[in-house]
Amino acid sequence: MNNKYKYFIPTKNIIARGGLTAIAEILPNECKNILLVTGKHSAKKFGYTDKIISSLASTNKNTFLFDNVEEDPSVETADAAANFAVKNNCSAVIGLGGGSPLDAAKAAAISAAAKIPVPELLEIDEKSIDKLFFIAVPTTSGTGSEVTQYSLLSDRVKKTKLNLATENSFPDIALLDAELTTSMPENLTRNTGVDALSHAIEGYLTTKANPFTNLLAESAIVTITRNIHKVIYNPYDINAREKMLIASNIAGRVIAHTGTSACHALGYYLTLVKNIPHGLANAILLGRIVKWISKFSPEKTDTIKNILNNTVDDFISSLGIDVSLFNYGVNENDVIKMAELAAVRSSTMATPGSPSAEELVKLLME
Ligand code: NAP
Ligand code: FE
């Protein structure tokens, strides 16, 4: 059989407003010790951590809380979470938060099951390692990490991100509770919403796109276009919040198959060196990359323009984001370094026209 196009997501997806309070119901009975991985503040501040602990306690399960995940988590943080799981004999992991806690939790679930430290896992080419039972609960509508196999971990020395992904690292369950996303402040809503839009657009345009991911990407772009202004300016519009959460999940399914593009590859430098949040980094770069791709894939870039009813840069500017790279403390040296780091990433090679470091510099300096 010509197995050219594949769509495979093993994750069970549940949409349940207020579902966090009953999370114990979706864990296997035999799992008694549960590792809960969160960021440092928001999950506790808004009461999400307590809801999970109460739900688990009501079914006699023990919560082991690792609430030390920083933004853009390091390899070391994920490894510390894994060690904590092993030490406490945990058989399941719940990741709660934005992409950072979800990615750290995902890596911890793999490392704890395999009893292989995260730094070693990143070195080996073993794709069939198992993981602990893993539930991902996103509190941002951005990364789609709850349905991807990727765990992006920061190497702050090399100023880049490493990707731990195995055949089995998709979460077992994604719990989509839109109420959790209403506490996002305006800037976070804006940046994470554009991250989801970038995933849909980049996935749509890469050379790895397929007929399944094309339709999913188009529908995610439509939904984000219709709802992103609503959630930025009316944070308690729960219907719009839920649509954004689902669209970000759909965009996550797209990149699970297609990967991202030179836009994400370039953005890691802005995040790790200039402290520009992940979504904002993509927002600044996306228009330029789409412009580059328009030379190779004009029909697709026209479709995006028709859906947005605007150019990518003008649409992003309409959200209140400044897309001028040089207004963010970036200089020519940075551009050269970020282009060099990005040019060797697989996502850049999967960008139509596979831009070289020199071509990326030219594109960024325009
Ligand atoms: P994040 O780094 O997880 O969180 C950013 C900030 O938002 C943190 O200060 C966090 O607080 C706060 N926050 C999260 N949810 C909140 C809520 N509901 N209310 C109020 N504050 C909230 O942000 P993110 O953009 O979702 O994730 C970015 C990471 O995901 C990057 O490391 C990126 O590389 C990765 N990523 C992964 C994939 C994938 O497929 N795996 C795809 C794209 C991006 P606390 O720290 O206190 O929790
Ligand atoms: Fe992203």
Side-chain angles (χ1 to χ4, degrees), residues 47-329:
Y48 308 151
T49 304
D50 280 348
K51 281 185 182 159
I52 293 185
I53 294 174
S54 304
S55 173
L56 297 185
S58 72
T59 53
N60 296 320
K61 295 185 193 295
N62 307 308
T63 307
F64 292 90
L65 177 63
F66 185 92
D67 58 358
N68 204 21
V69 180
E70 73 278 26
E71 291 180 33
D72 304 286
S74 64
V75 176
E76 293 74 23
T77 297
D79 198 47
N83 285 333
F84 188 60
V86 172
K87 188 174 143 214
N88 293 296
N89 212 10
C90 294
S91 53
V93 178
I94 298 176
L96 168 81
S100 297
L102 298 193
D103 282 4
K106 200 181 285 177
I110 303 167
S111 166
K115 304 232 168 34
I116 302 175
V118 177
E120 268 178 51
L121 277 175
L122 285 159
E123 296 293 324
I124 61 177
D125 202 21
E126 175 54 78
K127 292 292 175 206
S128 59
I129 330 169
D130 212 353
K131 64 170 189 322
L132 301 184
F133 192 87
F134 178 39
I135 300 179
V137 189
T139 63
T140 62
S141 297
T143 71
S145 174
E146 75 277 8
V147 281
T148 72
Q149 67 278 50
Y150 311 127
S151 167
L152 287 151
L153 302 172
S154 300
D155 181 332
R156 292 199 157 76
V157 177
K158 292 190 183 146
K159 300 181 182 9
T160 192
K161 291 214 180 186
L162 306 170
N163 182 11
L164 179 59
T166 75
E167 282 166 7
N168 302 318
S169 57
F170 290 93
D172 293 287
I173 300 183
L175 176 60
L176 305 184
D177 178 351
E179 288 178 3
L180 308 178
T181 66
T182 59
S183 57
M184 279 195 283
E186 192 178 306
N187 266 340
L188 185 62
T189 300
R190 190 180 269 124
N191 295 341
T192 53
V194 178
D195 189 28
L197 180 67
S198 308
H199 296 160
I201 290 181
E202 292 175 59
Y204 187 61
L205 296 175
T206 73
T207 55
K208 294 188 189 162
N210 76 39
F212 296 113
T213 59
N214 282 340
L215 279 189
L216 291 171
E218 284 180 18
S219 81
I221 301 168
V222 168
T223 304
I224 294 168
T225 306
R226 288 190 187 147
N227 291 283
I228 192 165
H229 293 88
K230 290 186 195 169
V231 291
I232 290 172
Y233 299 112
N234 191 1
Y236 296 104
D237 180 340
I238 190 74
N239 290 324
R241 284 288 196 188
E242 193 166 273
K243 292 212 171 91
M244 285 299 292
L245 188 56
I246 296 169
S248 116
N249 177 286
I250 299 290
R253 294 160 194 244
V254 171
I255 58 165
H257 293 82
T258 63
T260 53
S261 75
C263 172
H264 265 66
L266 288 164
Y268 296 141
Y269 180 92
L270 295 183
T271 298
L272 295 176
V273 180
K274 300 287 166 188
N275 279 324
I276 298 176
H278 175 71
L280 178 57
N282 295 326
I284 297 165
L285 299 163
L286 186 63
R288 293 159 199 266
I289 297 302
V290 171
K291 194 172 154 207
W292 163 272
I293 296 174
S294 67
K295 293 187 285 188
F296 306 92
S297 236
E299 277 178 24
K300 279 188 150 184
T301 51
D302 278 354
T303 303
I304 292 170
K305 194 171 179 183
N306 286 336
I307 299 175
L308 299 179
N309 200 20
N310 226 330
T311 63
V312 168
D313 270 349
D314 285 347
F315 182 80
I316 290 175
S317 302
S318 80
L319 304 173
I321 293 176
D322 179 358
V323 296
S324 326
L325 178 62
F326 295 100
N327 287 350
Y328 291 88

